[in-house]
Amino acid sequence: MRKIILFSIAIFLVKVGFSQDSTATYKKRVLESTEVDLLASYYTQDGNNAAVSGGIGTERLTDVTPTIVVSIPLNEDDILMIDAGVSAYTSASSSNIDPFDGGKKADPFQASSGASSSDTWANVTGNYTHSSDDRNKIWNAKVSVSTEYDYFSLGFGGSYTRLFNEKNTEISLKANVYLDKWNSIYPIELRPFAENGNGLNNRLFQSNTITGNQNYAPRFAEFQDETRNSYSVGLSFVQILSKRMQGNLMLDVVQQQGLLSTPFQRVYFSDVENSYIENFQLADAIEQLPDTRFKVALGGRLNYYLNETFVLRTYYRYYFDDWGINSHTASLEIPIKISEKFTLYPSYRYYSQTAADYFAPYEKHLSTEKFYTSDYDLSNFNANQYGFGVTYTDIFTSFKIWSYGLKSIDLKYHYYERNTGLTASIISGGFKFILN
């Protein structure tokens, strides 16, 4: 009897062991191995409506952004992703925060070579993702830190995704919070008029001649609260409609509060006599905007698989906020698979918006107004963007660097133009490596 009991226990343990081994064998990992993405972009723009100089002046800017993204599978269900990037830019526009520090005659259409002509932005984001055993539930949490010379941002958030109907239906809910802090930098000519400043007795005015209105007396007070908090909630619904078609509906709601004005953006009033040093008009005031903003965006995507060569990807979004802006965005991308390894990506994007209630061009504001800005990002405009990209994919990762195989290369170019005269170009590239 004792032998029978021991034999039965042994059989039970063997069955349990095989059951556990079977589960481990057939449970597919969310991410098979570590992936490394090396990304970079080069951006350049030009125009003549710089907000730093009150809606006139050069908008020339160049920006280089290298980024590395590392995705690490912690086990079958969990992924840790680290995203780190640096953005280094030079800006003719922001250089005119102090147009008198470059050794050349100050002019809003010329860049100053002083300290404000360049800056560096750095960001690190950590993402943790967990998937349920059946892969129908996905949780995500993230933390991010961003910093530059006059700005610091701490962000955190999370999302939950649920798949139904044999993974043909997907619903996602996300929420994010960003806690930002300005280190306000003001136009150079306004700083002497801050509390405890010495006004026209400042060395700037004593060593330069004011032309036009020599009794320069701007409206200026430093911001007392330099914080900006943003709270967002998003909902997404994805449905596979047929073997060839997939649709996606999205809703995003954002509430912002705090310092929503940009401290170094000038404003000129039509009812105030102009004052100049050299060719640069001295600010009448700085941008003043409400300390709250509520935004809503509704959008959708529809992707259709035509055949093995062509896919249609369409997108539309409608946006509105309580500052008076309404906008429409529509885009079309047509991936063209020309071989097993190469795919082309021609694309087009159209955007239009109405002006914010507080926007007016150069010298169109009145000094009696409470809120005012001449930032053309808040103006009435429409824009077109044309793009082309190419992707190389090697599922066998035959090219290797150390233990990492090259899975894909992405190269893209986009050209952007507004009817206000702003034009921009961006070249971006990415290399994805997988640990073999």
Side-chain angles (χ1 to χ4, degrees):
M1 183 67 181
R2 182 181 177 185
K3 291 182 179 179
I4 293 174
I5 293 173
L6 292 174
F7 180 76
S8 299
I9 292 173
I11 292 295
F12 173 76
L13 292 175
V14 169
K15 285 185 176 180
V16 170
F18 272 112
S19 175
Q20 291 174 343
D21 288 343
S22 175
T23 301
T25 301
Y26 291 104
K27 184 176 180 180
K28 183 175 176 62
R29 298 172 68 92
V30 178
L31 183 66
E32 292 296 333
S33 60
T34 299
E35 296 182 355
V36 177
D37 289 274
L38 301 178
L39 311 172
S41 66
Y42 174 78
Y43 173 86
T44 180
Q45 72 171 41
D46 201 359
N48 293 304
N49 297 115
V52 173
S53 44
I56 59 171
T58 178
E59 294 179 89
R60 285 197 304 274
L61 179 146
T62 60
D63 179 90
V64 178
T65 307
T67 303
I68 182 170
V69 181
V70 181
S71 301
I72 306 169
L74 303 178
N75 51 48
E76 292 93 340
D77 305 322
D78 302 316
I79 300 172
L80 176 64
M81 185 175 73
I82 305 297
D83 182 335
V86 175
S87 174
Y89 72 84
T90 59
S91 170
S93 174
S94 67
S95 73
N96 282 326
I97 294 173
D98 182 358
F100 312 110
D101 64 353
K104 297 180 181 179
K105 181 173 288 188
D107 190 305
F109 293 94
Q110 298 294 326
S112 171
S113 58
S116 57
S117 63
S118 62
D119 198 0
T120 300
W121 170 90
N123 169 264
V124 177
T125 301
N127 273 278
Y128 173 79
T129 302
H130 172 77
S131 299
S132 61
D133 288 340
D134 60 6
R135 305 300 185 244
N136 286 331
K137 305 181 193 72
I138 304 170
W139 294 267
N140 172 269
K142 73 173 184 178
V143 177
S144 67
V145 177
S146 302
T147 182
E148 57 185 310
Y149 182 74
D150 62 339
Y151 205 80
F152 177 82
S153 176
L154 174 65
F156 51 91
S159 66
Y160 174 72
T161 300
R162 185 75 167 88
L163 285 79
F164 304 90
N165 188 25
E166 298 182 345
K167 304 188 189 311
N168 289 320
T169 304
E170 176 183 311
I171 296 177
S172 297
L173 178 66
K174 64 179 180 180
N176 293 288
V177 175
Y178 291 95
L179 307 176
D180 306 337
K181 178 70 167 60
W182 284 94
N183 178 23
S184 294
I185 299 174
Y186 301 103
I188 187 66
E189 70 271 28
L190 295 181
R191 298 173 198 175
F193 294 91
E195 187 176 359
N196 300 323
N198 56 354
L200 291 176
N201 293 319
N202 183 266
R203 189 176 69 173
L204 172 67
F205 304 111
Q206 294 298 308
S207 58
N208 292 280
T209 301
I210 298 178
T211 59
N213 177 19
Q214 297 182 355
N215 297 317
Y216 177 55
R219 177 194 296 183
F220 177 65
E222 295 178 286
F223 292 112
Q224 298 303 307
D225 182 5
E226 297 185 318
T227 61
R228 172 190 291 179
N229 299 334
S230 302
Y231 311 93
S232 66
V233 177
L235 180 65
S236 173
F237 174 78
V238 182
Q239 178 65 49
I240 296 177
L241 302 171
S242 69
K243 291 182 179 181
R244 294 175 177 267
M245 186 180 296
Q246 180 192 65
N248 182 9
L249 296 175
M250 297 162 286
L251 169 66
D252 290 289
V253 178
V254 179
Q255 176 67 45
Q256 291 182 295
Q257 61 185 42
L259 180 51
L260 305 183
S261 307
T262 303
F264 51 76
Q265 295 187 169
R266 293 175 174 88
V267 171
Y268 299 110
F269 298 128
S270 61
D271 56 346
V272 173
E273 188 179 354
N274 299 339
S275 299
Y276 298 86
I277 291 180
E278 298 174 348
N279 294 333
F280 200 92
Q281 184 175 347
L282 305 181
D284 293 331
I286 55 172
E287 178 181 83
Q288 295 286 338
L289 292 169
D291 58 6
T292 63
R293 189 177 185 183
F294 182 70
K295 310 176 184 180
V296 178
L298 300 163
R301 298 182 186 274
L302 189 64
N303 300 333
Y304 186 77
Y305 175 84
L306 288 173
N307 51 45
E308 293 182 353
T309 303
F310 297 98
V311 177
L312 298 179
R313 295 177 180 173
T314 63
Y315 171 77
Y316 172 77
R317 187 189 77 157
Y318 172 68
Y319 163 93
F320 65 92
D321 63 30
D322 58 357
W323 285 10
I325 293 180
N326 292 266
S327 73
H328 301 271
T329 306
S331 68
L332 173 64
E333 183 180 65
I334 307 176
I336 304 170
K337 190 172 184 179
I338 59 175
S339 72
E340 288 297 319
K341 294 186 176 182
F342 288 94
T343 304
L344 305 180
Y345 291 89
S347 64
Y348 171 73
R349 177 180 178 270
Y350 175 78
Y351 177 83
S352 68
Q353 75 170 40
T354 59
D357 296 335
Y358 319 111
F359 171 82
Y362 165 73
E363 288 202 326
K364 295 298 182 181
H365 281 293
L366 296 174
S367 60
T368 54
E369 296 174 15
K370 181 178 181 181
F371 300 117
Y372 34 81
T373 177
S374 293
D375 183 350
Y376 272 70
D377 287 345
L378 300 177
S379 71
N380 176 20
F381 70 87
N382 59 67
N384 297 280
Q385 179 175 286
Y386 311 90
F388 185 80
V390 58
T391 296
Y392 166 83
T393 304
D394 182 2
I395 61 174
F396 300 108
T397 62
S398 55
F399 177 79
K400 292 180 173 56
I401 297 179
W402 297 300
S403 299
Y404 289 86
L406 178 63
K407 182 177 180 180
S408 65
I409 301 175
D410 288 285
L411 296 172
K412 291 185 178 180
Y413 171 78
H414 290 94
Y415 176 76
Y416 173 88
E417 59 179 3
R418 285 186 188 175
N419 64 341
T420 61
L422 177 70
T423 60
S425 295
I426 182 169
I427 301 172
S428 58
F431 298 81
K432 180 183 288 291
F433 293 90
I434 297 178
L435 180 64
N436 291 327

